[in-house]
Amino acid sequence: DAGVIQSPRHEVTEMGQEVTLRCKPISGHNSLFWYRQTMMRGLELLIYFNNNVPIDDSGMPEDRFSAKMPNASFSTLKIQPSEPRDSAVYFCASTIALGTSVYYEQYFGPGTRLTVT
Amino acid sequence: AQRVTQPEKLLSVFKGAPVELKCNYSYSGSPELFWYVQYSRQRLQLLLRHISRESIKGFTADLNKGETSFHLKKPFAQEEDSAMYYCAGSDSSYKLIFGSGTRLLVRP
């Protein structure tokens, strides 16, 4: 198993452009998380999906951010329009969750390093 | 507010020396606590969790409810232990709160 797959690994874009980050969770996992990592704020949860349904998007910074999970094997995080302050590493993680417990290990992808100039 | 604090950004020790990475938490109730590790050019991965009470790669972590701490310890550091370590907590929901991380550098 290749684990959680994210693409692209690196993205450089200009301010105002649309950015789409992609994630393929581990097969059989029913929960997916998007995190953002910055020097200032560390690792923050952006949104959590359970069985393809967004359960908690309270961490999404603003309306410029949106996330979808059209099926169990694919999720996207979109930023439109992008701004320099969105520059960060974005991680996707997946796990099997029974109920709401996170006692189950979260498996992280390699991350996408986004730079907005 | 729920919070996990790692006071040290960098911890540098010599090979064979004891290591203690500090983690303090602020939660109402009894959280579940974890240590995640990220080795150079690798993914963030779970190192150990409080509920399992296990020792992984020689590391242990004891929950001290009185001091609200979950420090990570290893009696003899190895060069391959050099990595970024994150403490994380959960209030039994899906949400993990991560500390800011401590970079451990083990010198030869």
Side-chain angles (χ1 to χ4, degrees):
Chain A
D1 192 343
V4 175
I5 299 172
Q6 289 187 249
S7 64
R9 295 292 305 277
H10 302 273
E11 177 80 35
V12 180
T13 190
E14 292 184 346
M15 181 173 63
Q17 297 297 306
E18 177 180 296
V19 175
T20 299
L21 311 181
R22 297 173 176 78
C23 175
K24 176 178 169 51
I26 292 173
S27 177
H29 284 187
N30 66 347
S31 294
L32 184 139
F33 306 80
W34 281 101
Y35 291 89
R36 179 172 67 175
Q37 184 180 44
T38 62
M39 290 292 292
M40 292 296 293
R41 301 175 67 89
L43 201 59
E44 303 174 283
L45 177 66
L46 298 178
I47 188 168
Y48 162 59
F49 290 90
N50 182 265
N51 293 322
N52 312 336
V53 176
I55 303 299
D56 182 357
D57 64 356
S58 61
M60 297 285 264
E62 47 197 277
D63 292 345
R64 298 185 297 106
F65 286 69
S66 63
K68 295 182 180 180
M69 192 164 187
N71 56 62
S73 59
F74 184 65
S75 177
T76 60
L77 178 67
K78 185 178 293 186
I79 308 173
Q80 166 65 19
S82 58
E83 297 182 3
R85 60 195 169 114
D86 301 331
S87 297
V89 180
Y90 291 82
F91 289 101
C92 178
S94 71
T95 191
I96 298 175
L98 301 179
T100 59
S101 172
V102 286
Y103 293 171
Y104 305 93
E105 177 179 355
Q106 291 189 21
Y107 293 82
F108 282 77
T112 295
R113 182 174 296 277
L114 173 65
T115 302
V116 183
T117 61
Chain B
Q2 298 165 347
R3 181 175 296 177
V4 175
T5 304
Q6 295 178 251
E8 303 148 324
K9 289 189 181 300
L10 172 66
L11 182 63
S12 180
V13 301
F14 285 104
K15 177 182 174 181
V19 170
E20 183 179 68
L21 299 168
K22 292 183 168 53
C23 172
N24 290 90
Y25 63 90
S26 175
Y27 273 83
S28 57
S30 298
E32 184 56 31
L33 292 156
F34 307 81
W35 277 97
Y36 277 78
V37 62
Q38 187 171 27
Y39 299 102
S40 179
R41 303 184 188 281
Q42 294 188 27
R43 303 170 185 222
L44 191 63
Q45 58 187 289
L46 180 67
L47 179 62
L48 57 79
R49 71 192 83 186
H50 159 244
I51 195 172
S52 301
R53 302 187 184 281
E54 56 199 345
S55 172
I56 303 294
K57 299 185 178 182
F59 284 97
T60 58
D62 291 321
L63 178 63
N64 186 321
K65 293 185 178 181
E67 296 183 356
T68 60
S69 68
F70 188 58
H71 302 331
L72 184 68
K73 301 178 182 179
K74 185 170 183 177
F76 308 102
Q78 302 299 314
E79 290 182 66
E80 56 265 30
D81 296 328
S82 295
M84 195 75 182
Y85 292 80
Y86 293 92
C87 184
S90 171
D91 60 357
S92 301
S93 73
Y94 52 82
K95 187 171 288 189
L96 275 177
I97 305 293
F98 284 87
S100 55
T102 298
R103 180 169 298 281
L104 174 64
L105 177 61
V106 181
R107 300 170 184 263

